[in-house]
């Protein structure tokens, strides 16, 4: 897995004491974690501004799963990167209801969250949920539809039962519509995260994530067919981070530095996956209920998708407005949207662009 370079500021020595310098490390590819410290790695002025932003609550997309946009945030907290930037961050595990998470952020109950992909942000906006998109990790659909190998045409799913996690992922619905499936003829039921219901025949199709359920089924020796939206020309994204609009408007540096610390931890976890997954396991309470090996696979699968889908010359987290426009169009074509929105009114790419020089993350903050 390739790692990103971290651009260290030449004025660090003037901004921080030697204890703070220990936090920054020489490179995110270091084999050992930088020691945590209460010392600030940024200027007194920026530190004061970040402290004035107050408590920042991040709700994860799903529990403490080792996904991109979850594990790196957990690691940034554990490694002291948020502290180094004078940010007071609390992480709350989400239930998987990303639509509900966006409502928490819109209401100000939470500050930031991962809503899934850009299509989920588009749908939230169309439903009147006021959040601002500030970053996107992966620029390919993370969702997949799993069936038994006996299904060779998606139209065979008409008259059968499909299991989903509370709502049919928009990319999956668009794929079905494009293949001529009458979705109204499919019985949809809400299911949990145990994919064994598919090989047991309790459902005939099952939505999931490329980095999760297929890995579990493969480990159990079950053979399935995956139907991936991108194979049918359906665009998609994952790891879309949204924030409370009032917060980001009032706290630009804190918003930048939340992403800065998270992406710095992302780089570290690329080459220290087991250690970072250990942080998540500790938060989850440890024990057999947290599958460390599986979660290492989750992280490695998702970061590989991020790397593969990232346009050349763009840094991690960049909002791709061209891709978002394509997602909006497929949502319109599949009748999930009634009109094309002006995405500039609820996205802000400035926070990501402010923390990079080219594709080099600036660490610490200027």
């Amino acid at each position: 897995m390739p790692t990103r370079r971290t651009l260290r500021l030449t004025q660090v020595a003037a901004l921080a004491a030697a204890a703070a310098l220990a936090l920054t490390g020489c490179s995110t590819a270091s084999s050992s974690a930088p020691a945590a410290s209460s010392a600030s790695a940024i200027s007194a002025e920026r530190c004061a501004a970040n402290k004035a932003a107050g408590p920042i609550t991040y709700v994860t997309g799903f529990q403490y799963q080792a996904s991109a946009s979850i594990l790196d945030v957990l690691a940034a907290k554990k490694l002291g990167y948020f502290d180094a930037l004078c940010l007071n961050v609390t992480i709350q595990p989400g239930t998987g209801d990303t639509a509900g998470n966006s409502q928490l952020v819109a209401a100000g109950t939470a500050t930031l969250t991962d809503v899934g992909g850009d299509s989920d942000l588009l749908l939230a906006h169309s439903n009147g949920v006021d959040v601002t998109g500030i970053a996107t990790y992966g620029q390919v659909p993370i969702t997949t539809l799993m069936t038994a190998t006996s299904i060779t045409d998606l139209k065979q799913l008409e008259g059968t039962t499909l299991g989903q996690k509370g709502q049919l992922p928009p990319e999956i619905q668009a794929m079905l519509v494009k293949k001529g499936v009458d979705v109204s003829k499919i019985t949809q039921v809400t299911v949990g995260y145990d994919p064994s219901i598919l090989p047991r025949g309790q459902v005939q199709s099952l939505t999931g994530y490329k980095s999760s359920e297929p890995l579990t089924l493969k480990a159990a020796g079950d053979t399935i067919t995956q139907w991936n939206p991108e194979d049918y020309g359906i665009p998609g994204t994952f790891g879309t981070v949204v924030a409370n609009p009032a917060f980001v408007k009032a706290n630009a540096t804190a918003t930048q530095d939340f992403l800065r610390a998270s992406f710095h931890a992302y780089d570290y976890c690329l080459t220290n996956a087991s250690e970072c997954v250990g942080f998540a396991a500790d938060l989850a309470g440890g024990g057999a209920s947290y599958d460390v090996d599986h979660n290492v696979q989750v992280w490695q699968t998702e970061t590989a998708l991020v790397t593969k889908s990232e346009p050349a010359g763009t840094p991690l987290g960049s909002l791709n407005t061209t891709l978002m426009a394509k997602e909006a169009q497929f949502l319109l074509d599949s009748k999930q949207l009634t009109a094309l929105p002006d995405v500039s009114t609820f996205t802000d790419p400035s926070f990501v662009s402010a923390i990079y020089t080219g594709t080099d993350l600036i660490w610490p903050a200027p």
Side-chain angles (χ1 to χ4, degrees):
M1 176 68 62
T3 61
R4 302 165 188 279
R5 291 180 297 164
T6 297
L7 183 67
R8 297 189 58 204
L9 299 178
T10 57
Q11 66 267 43
V12 166
L15 297 178
L21 288 175
L23 259 173
T24 66
C26 295
S27 167
T28 53
S30 171
S31 61
S32 58
S37 168
S38 61
S40 167
I42 56 177
S43 69
E45 180 181 8
R46 192 178 187 99
C47 182
N50 285 354
K51 286 183 176 180
I56 296 171
T57 300
Y58 187 80
V59 180
T60 71
F62 178 65
Q63 299 295 332
Y64 296 117
Q65 180 169 276
S67 293
S69 79
I70 297 179
L71 187 63
D72 49 308
V73 178
L74 303 180
K77 176 78 171 178
K78 178 68 175 180
L79 295 169
Y81 294 165
F82 290 133
D83 290 340
L85 302 181
C86 301
L87 297 173
N88 178 11
V89 176
T90 298
I91 300 170
Q92 294 182 357
T95 62
D97 179 8
T98 53
N101 288 353
S102 65
Q103 293 171 350
L104 292 175
V105 169
T109 305
T111 317
L112 305 104
T113 191
D114 167 8
V115 294
D118 289 351
S119 58
D120 299 283
L121 169 60
L122 291 163
L123 291 172
H125 173 74
S126 71
N127 290 326
V129 181
D130 187 17
V131 292
T132 299
I134 61 171
T136 296
Y137 284 70
Q139 300 191 28
V140 66
I142 190 70
T143 55
T144 188
L145 182 68
M146 295 162 283
T147 69
T149 55
S150 59
I151 301 295
T152 57
D153 187 323
L154 286 173
K155 286 184 67 65
Q156 291 175 257
L157 296 181
E158 293 179 2
T160 67
T161 300
L162 178 151
Q164 39 93 330
K165 309 297 192 296
Q167 62 181 3
L168 187 62
E171 299 93 345
I172 300 299
Q173 178 162 330
M175 177 179 67
L176 292 171
V177 170
K178 186 169 184 177
K179 294 301 293 180
V181 179
D182 185 343
V183 178
S184 68
K185 293 182 179 179
I186 299 176
T187 300
Q188 296 186 42
V189 296
T190 300
V191 299
Y193 289 84
D194 177 7
S196 66
I197 61 173
L198 178 63
R200 290 203 305 265
Q202 292 174 265
V203 295
Q204 286 68 57
S205 58
L206 178 67
T207 65
Y209 302 94
K210 294 182 179 78
S211 57
S212 185
E213 291 90 347
L215 302 178
T216 299
L217 291 172
K218 182 179 179 180
D222 295 310
T223 302
I224 60 165
T225 296
Q226 282 184 246
W227 304 81
N228 295 321
E230 64 271 24
D231 294 336
Y232 300 91
I234 306 298
T237 48
F238 68 93
T240 298
V241 178
V242 303
N244 178 274
F247 178 86
V248 296
K249 184 177 181 180
N251 302 286
T253 64
T255 305
Q256 293 169 14
D257 290 348
F258 177 88
L259 294 175
R260 189 192 310 274
S262 299
F263 296 165
H264 191 42
Y266 181 99
D267 287 347
Y268 179 80
C269 293
L270 283 177
T271 50
N272 297 276
S274 295
E275 180 185 359
C276 291
V277 170
F279 301 154
D282 290 344
L283 286 169
S289 61
Y290 193 90
D291 190 333
V292 172
D293 291 340
H294 172 75
N295 274 279
V296 169
Q297 285 187 299
V298 169
W299 173 252
Q300 292 174 338
T301 300
E302 293 200 8
T303 54
L305 288 170
V306 170
T307 299
K308 184 177 180 180
S309 65
E310 195 170 82
T314 61
L316 175 70
S318 297
L319 292 172
N320 187 333
T321 55
T322 299
L323 182 55
M324 192 178 294
K326 290 180 180 179
E327 290 194 65
Q329 185 63 55
F330 91 69
L331 290 173
L332 182 67
D333 293 343
S334 58
K335 304 187 186 308
Q336 297 176 74
L337 287 180
T338 57
L340 291 175
D342 179 0
V343 299
S344 68
T345 63
F346 55 92
T347 61
D348 191 339
S350 68
F351 302 110
V352 170
S353 62
I355 64 176
Y356 281 95
T357 296
T359 58
D360 293 333
L361 180 69
I362 302 168
W363 181 266

